[in-house]
Amino acid sequence: MFYDSFTHVPFIVAAPGYQGPRRTKQLVELVDIMPTFLDMAGIPIPPGTQGKSLAPYLKGQDYTPREYVVIESGEEGEPLRVSDITVRPEHPFDDRYFVWCAYREAWMGKGKSIRTLEWKLNIYANGDCELYDLVNDREELNNCFDAPTFTSIRSEFERKLLYWTMEKEDRLPLNVTVKLNYSEVKAKHA
């Protein structure tokens, strides 16, 4: 589940060049930590890094905050059945096993969430969807996903999440034969 109470992680930084204590409501993803640390240490950020360095912001330089963040969670496949659990816990506080009779009913599968300062859209593999107006419903109690009033907002966020997914998904290896064949054809016609 993508409630802010689960996903809001405080990020506290103290580093050389940091421009003093201040608090911000800017959106940050956990993948931003590594490029920020590399940038603050003067180490080049590797190509393909998903995160965005916060170093310019921390140093008081020009910085464009993220428009939105994306959160991913969940597991592939089907949830365990009680019959799948062959070893029973030795006592009620035995945390080696997750035995919860309502687990199958609560199964959401994989999910993605896109969040701005004003809105949050959650989409789960089991078909459940949520849309929250974070300005008027900070506690995320009123799911607006099916409300006709919010159809355009829902569509906008679904589109943003789709484009983000296509941009961030793993790339297939480049097809170098296309480039080679094109080079050969070009050389023959030159």
Side-chain angles (χ1 to χ4, degrees), residues 11 27-37 50-54 63 66 69:
F11 183 53
L27 298 169
V28 176
E29 293 182 348
L30 291 175
V31 294
D32 296 336
I33 295 172
M34 185 266 288
T36 299
F37 288 172
Q50 286 187 9
K52 176 179 181 172
S53 173
L54 304 167
Y63 176 77
R66 286 182 178 276
V69 293

Side-chain angles (χ1 to χ4, degrees), residues 146-163:
D146 291 321
T149 310
F150 302 111
T151 302
S152 63
I153 291 169
R154 183 183 77 214
S155 295
E156 174 190 343
F157 277 74
E158 287 172 331
R159 191 171 23 264
K160 285 180 183 184
L161 187 56
L162 174 64
Y163 291 145

Side-chain angles (χ1 to χ4, degrees), residues 69-83:
V69 293
V70 174
I71 307 159
E72 300 176 283
S73 185
E75 299 176 10
E76 287 284 346
E78 290 289 318
L80 291 174
R81 294 175 179 77
V82 173
S83 61

Side-chain angles (χ1 to χ4, degrees), residues 50-171:
Q50 286 187 9
K52 176 179 181 172
S53 173
L54 304 167
Y57 172 76
L58 297 173
K59 294 177 180 179
Q61 300 167 351
D62 285 340
Y63 176 77
T64 303
R66 286 182 178 276
E67 176 189 353
Y68 59 83
V69 293
V70 174
I71 307 159
E72 300 176 283
S73 185
E75 299 176 10
E76 287 284 346
E78 290 289 318
L80 291 174
R81 294 175 179 77
V82 173
S83 61
D84 294 332
I85 302 167
T86 57
V87 179
R88 301 289 180 219
E90 296 173 17
H91 53 78
F93 300 107
D94 187 347
D95 62 1
R96 293 177 296 162
Y97 309 100
F98 180 56
V99 181
W100 176 26
C101 62
Y103 182 63
R104 288 192 67 77
E105 288 73 33
W107 179 255
M108 307 288 286
K110 290 180 79 172
K112 292 189 188 301
S113 176
I114 182 169
R115 184 194 195 287
T116 65
L117 295 173
E118 296 84 22
W119 292 94
K120 182 189 294 181
L121 172 70
N122 306 326
I123 299 178
Y124 301 97
N126 72 351
D128 289 352
C129 299
E130 301 166 312
L131 177 67
Y132 294 107
D133 175 353
L134 300 176
V135 173
N136 298 305
D137 181 19
R138 295 289 311 154
E139 291 79 30
E140 302 173 57
L141 300 174
N142 184 26
N143 182 0
C144 303
F145 187 82
D146 291 321
T149 310
F150 302 111
T151 302
S152 63
I153 291 169
R154 183 183 77 214
S155 295
E156 174 190 343
F157 277 74
E158 287 172 331
R159 191 171 23 264
K160 285 180 183 184
L161 187 56
L162 174 64
Y163 291 145
W164 179 92
T165 301
M166 291 186 327
E167 179 185 330
K168 301 299 181 183
E169 68 188 4
D170 290 336
R171 305 286 198 267

Side-chain angles (χ1 to χ4, degrees), residues 16-29:
Y18 177 58
Q19 295 296 306
R22 56 187 160 161
R23 184 176 220 156
T24 182
K25 292 184 186 244
Q26 289 184 29
L27 298 169
V28 176
E29 293 182 348

